[in-house]
Amino acid sequence: MQELTHYINGAHVKGQSGRFADVMNPATGEVQARVPLANAEELAEAVEAAKAAQVGWAATNPQRRARVLMKFVDLLNRDMKKLAEALSREHGKTLPDAAGDVQRGLEVVEYCIGAPQMLKGEFTDAAGPGIDMYSMRQPLGVTAGITPFNFPAMIPMWMFAPAIACGNAFILKPSERDPSVPLMLAELMEEAGLPKGVLQVVNGDKEAVDAILYHPEIQSIGFVGSTPIAEYIYGTGCSQGKRVQCFGGAKNHMIVMPDADMDQAADALVGAGYGAAGERCMAISVAVPVGDKTADRLIEKLVPRIEKLKVGPYTAGDDVDYGPVVTAAAKANIERLVQTGIDQGAKLVVDGRDFKLQGYENGYFVGAHLFDHATPDMDIYKTEIFGPVLTTVRAQTYEEALKLAMDHEYGNGTAIFTRDGDTARDFANRVNVGMVGINVPIPVPLAYHTFGGWKKSVFGDLNQHGPDAFKFYTRTKTVTSRWPSGIKDGGEFSIPVME
Ligand code: NAD
């Protein structure tokens, strides 16, 4: 069986801890590799290499640093098929979806090629007699990121591209479920000309994460994953004096107004609810039709579309709409939540419980489910299911629908489908959710805007990518300088006031 490694100081390094996790093929349920789980000593080794490499990297001018990213983009395009294949094999998503995962990361790398522009400081000429004042953005030093299984290419790139463009060294602790693509990305960055030690991959679980949290040389931590872990990492990381940004779970509502184009809304819901088996933090998991007539029309349109969905392994090519979920535990959890929905009185209008795929009986495939008449007190509404399960909560008015989205503890994304500009505008202004779609079901901002939710979907101040990333991965230093022509005789004993 293949034994994966860490990537430390430019080399594949075998695990020393003696602990490993199985990497599964979710389509077959077979173990296809094992990944080492690092201990604190292995993490410390990576930090030492990062510290040494970061000094020279920070001193490399920003344009040269950007050229490495330019070359990296070429290499990502060259290896797109290979990366997507490796990603699908461990994650289970379809090949086009896996290529999209790489592509959305690549776009952030492209954005970071503009680092020389983003890192330009501020300058005030003649702030006082003979006095100039300037601010510069300097890298933090050694930075780290902890990423989830569901976007094993995109989310690591969202973190390491800006971190490295700003002159930091970056240690990535990817998900232990699908670690191969992150290792491939680190190799490609080195092929693009990145010096050894600037980007490293330390595989692991909680032990490696805790080592990152408590290592005094690590200046910042980026995290994306589930909310309880986000909360833990934010609290612990901040208590250790680190700069931390954590992005958590979601329960994204799509409001369907009576005037919406119902075919468009149904198509959007099917793609956003079931694409990637619902394992997206921007998936729509709650449909909120306004009025019973709208709800009946929507359900009528949804059912045949959902029943037609093709579920299968990525190897089946274009014939597949979504693949298996990531682990047997994820599948069992989805099944358990579906049962709570039935027990608590929601109406299961599309029942995927008996779904079986011939030849793939041990794979983690889950049939598509649709609930109607769910209520906010039910577990299927309160919990992030992270599977192919769409829950419909009927609202009688627009205000009631808005309140549902606003009262939910998560606030990652949301959408409204309507033909009425006033309603759309009101929704976008009032809803307390970070990313809003108007007739767009998955409103993931492009690289030059920022990505982030509100409420329990985020812990920290700055969003991912866009201009915020350059703030997160740098700190400001402000210099006040005066040259002899501006210096008066004698000392000054009061706080200087610029005249
Ligand atoms: P997860 O929280 O289980 O794992 C995320 C990372 O944390 C992994 O690297 C994992 O090894 C580590 N981890 C797991 N348990 C830990 C523990 N007890 N202590 C310390 N570290 C631990 O999340 P996941 O299942 O990999 O990913 C799915 C979740 O991520 C969903 O909740 C989804 O909504 C969320 N997500 C959010 C965003 C966003 O931008 N808001 C994006 C993608 C995914």
Side-chain angles (χ1 to χ4, degrees), residues 146-150 155 173-176 204 206 209 223-226 229 232 247-250 281 384 386 412 451 457 464:
I146 299 155
T147 53
F149 81 85
N150 68 329
I155 294 176
K173 203 304 284 169
S175 169
E176 60 275 46
K206 180 170 166 46
V209 170
F223 171 87
V224 179
S226 59
I229 313 296
Y232 166 69
F247 299 88
C281 69
E384 182 183 39
F386 227 52
N412 213 40
F451 180 106
S457 298
Q464 305 196 76

Side-chain angles (χ1 to χ4, degrees), residues 72 76 80 83-109 147-158 160 178 181-182 185 276 279-281 444 465:
F72 179 57
L76 288 172
M80 184 64 82
L83 288 161
E85 233 271 330
L87 200 158
S88 292
R89 200 166 51 236
E90 290 182 355
H91 177 286
K93 62 174 78 171
T94 64
L95 281 171
D97 208 24
D101 191 330
V102 180
Q103 178 64 28
R104 288 309 286 262
L106 180 155
E107 287 166 12
V108 169
V109 182
T147 53
F149 81 85
N150 68 329
F151 283 99
M154 178 183 87
I155 294 176
M157 285 192 262
W158 283 10
F160 74 64
D178 41 18
V181 169
L185 296 177
E279 291 177 320
R280 289 181 180 139
C281 69
V444 176
H465 63 66

Side-chain angles (χ1 to χ4, degrees), residues 105-351:
L106 180 155
E107 287 166 12
V108 169
V109 182
E110 284 174 332
Y111 173 72
C112 292
I113 292 168
Q117 167 69 14
M118 298 305 294
L119 294 174
K120 277 192 329 204
E122 294 170 336
F123 187 86
T124 304
D125 172 45
I131 295 178
D132 300 324
M133 196 173 280
Y134 59 95
S135 302
M136 48 189 167
R137 296 202 156 275
Q138 295 197 321
L140 305 176
V142 180
T143 60
I146 299 155
T147 53
F149 81 85
N150 68 329
F151 283 99
M154 178 183 87
I155 294 176
M157 285 192 262
W158 283 10
M159 293 182 185
F160 74 64
I164 287 172
C166 290
N168 298 287
F170 188 88
I171 297 174
L172 172 65
K173 203 304 284 169
S175 169
E176 60 275 46
R177 315 253 175 267
D178 41 18
S180 288
V181 169
L183 287 165
M184 291 162 80
L185 296 177
E187 284 171 10
L188 289 180
M189 280 289 277
E190 233 167 86
E191 190 182 338
L194 190 72
K196 292 181 197 325
V198 178
L199 173 62
Q200 302 177 91
V201 180
V202 173
N203 282 305
D205 57 2
K206 180 170 166 46
E207 192 173 334
V209 170
D210 284 344
I212 290 172
L213 285 168
Y214 289 101
H215 199 298
E217 294 288 348
I218 293 180
Q219 305 298 320
S220 78
I221 300 177
F223 171 87
V224 179
S226 59
T227 286
I229 313 296
E231 219 159 356
Y232 166 69
I233 288 176
Y234 190 70
T236 315
C238 290
S239 78
Q240 297 304 301
K242 301 185 193 308
R243 185 179 289 191
V244 191
Q245 58 172 187
C246 295
F247 299 88
K251 195 79 178 174
N252 305 320
H253 294 51
M254 181 169 130
I255 287 138
V256 182
M257 295 300 293
D259 66 353
D261 179 322
M262 227 37 79
D263 283 300
Q264 232 177 49
D267 284 342
L269 271 170
V270 171
Y274 301 93
E279 291 177 320
R280 289 181 180 139
C281 69
M282 288 296 277
I284 294 288
S285 46
V286 182
V288 188
V290 173
D292 280 322
K293 253 169 81 182
T294 313
D296 292 341
R297 279 164 62 216
L298 183 67
I299 296 286
E300 195 184 297
K301 300 263 183 204
L302 279 173
V303 171
R305 284 169 165 83
I306 296 168
E307 284 174 344
K308 260 203 281 201
L309 286 173
K310 293 185 201 123
V311 186
Y314 74 93
T315 42
D318 291 346
D319 234 18
V320 171
D321 293 311
Y322 73 84
V325 297
V326 68
T327 55
K331 178 173 154 87
N333 189 46
I334 295 163
E335 288 166 352
R336 179 186 65 77
L337 280 160
V338 166
Q339 192 55 48
T340 68
I342 298 164
D343 295 345
Q344 291 168 12
K347 189 172 166 203
L348 189 58
V349 286
V350 178
D351 183 351

Side-chain angles (χ1 to χ4, degrees), residues 1 22-33 89 359 362-364:
M1 189 199 315
D22 288 337
V23 180
M24 312 301 292
N25 178 338
T28 61
E30 284 162 5
V31 180
Q32 54 182 330
R89 200 166 51 236
N362 296 325
Y364 313 135

Side-chain angles (χ1 to χ4, degrees), residues 9 126 161 169 204 245 287 291 315 396 426 429 441 443 462 464 490:
N9 207 13
Q245 58 172 187
T315 42
Q396 292 315 316
D426 184 78
N429 280 332
L462 294 167
Q464 305 196 76

Side-chain angles (χ1 to χ4, degrees), residues 398-399 402 416 420-431 438:
Y398 163 70
E399 287 295 332
L402 174 66
I416 187 164
D420 183 69
D422 253 0
T423 311
R425 186 168 182 275
D426 184 78
F427 182 72
N429 280 332
R430 285 168 67 199
V431 73
I438 297 171

